[in-house]
Amino acid sequence: PLLNIFDTVSLRWKAKENQSDTCMPIAVEDAAAIALKDRYLVVIGGRGSNRGHLRSSFIYDSIFNCWSKTPVSMNMIERRQLHSAAVLDGKIVVSGNDWTDDRTSSIEFINVDALLEYAPLIYQFPPFYFNQILILVKGDESNKNWAKRKRCDDKQR
């Protein structure tokens, strides 16, 4: 399950350079997908690689290029495939279902803010801040082992 991204400048589909990082945790088909907050892609329900129908969701963070799976507590009530999803008033509206003869017309609502609490968490320092971190290093014996502060971007002498 590779993630291809549509480049809106060149108007072409592109695969990420390191595709192993962009793979979903499991293969999913017949799912609904929506974009949230110009950053996240949420894949809802569908059919998994074992042909089981899913109630769970996966969240892709396009800035940090990684996926997370929502916990069981966030699962939909109905297992759904070939369904629709849209965002309306801070909620994801999920409707429809098409598997076996048990088609449903039910609608479920998922709170966007509650769902995004399970988005991938990655805290990386931007280079500017990283270079400002002070490191304590020991001085030599002539300094009586006084600690001195050194910036990460200071050159070794």
Side-chain angles (χ1 to χ4, degrees), residues 26-153:
I26 64 168
V28 176
E29 58 186 54
D30 300 334
I34 56 159
L36 293 175
K37 302 191 180 207
D38 294 329
R39 177 176 179 173
Y40 301 104
L41 173 69
V42 180
V43 177
I44 304 165
R47 187 171 52 197
S49 56
N50 63 356
R51 295 296 193 215
H53 298 85
L54 304 173
R55 295 184 300 168
S56 57
S57 300
F58 296 92
I59 305 169
Y60 175 70
D61 185 328
S62 65
I63 292 176
F64 291 112
N65 192 31
C66 59
W67 288 91
S68 65
K69 182 179 185 217
T70 56
V72 175
S73 63
M74 291 296 297
N75 280 359
M76 294 181 293
I77 296 168
E78 297 281 336
R79 296 176 189 274
R80 296 176 187 267
Q81 80 169 51
L82 298 170
H83 52 291
S84 299
V87 179
L88 180 66
D89 292 330
K91 292 183 175 44
I92 300 169
V93 182
V94 183
S95 66
N97 188 12
D98 185 17
W99 63 282
T100 68
D101 292 331
D102 188 22
R103 294 184 177 146
T104 182
S105 60
S106 69
I107 296 175
E108 296 188 51
F109 297 90
I110 303 168
N111 183 289
V112 168
D113 292 329
L115 181 81
L116 290 180
E117 286 184 24
Y118 302 101
L121 290 177
I122 296 181
Y123 296 104
Q124 295 178 343
F125 284 119
F128 171 78
Y129 293 113
F130 182 77
N131 291 334
Q132 303 301 315
I133 296 174
L134 299 176
I135 298 177
L136 293 173
V137 295
K138 283 186 179 180
D140 59 19
E141 287 186 25
S142 65
N143 282 347
K144 299 181 184 176
N145 290 328
W146 287 92
K148 61 180 180 179
R149 292 192 288 178
K150 180 179 177 184
R151 285 183 28 168
C152 293
D153 59 352

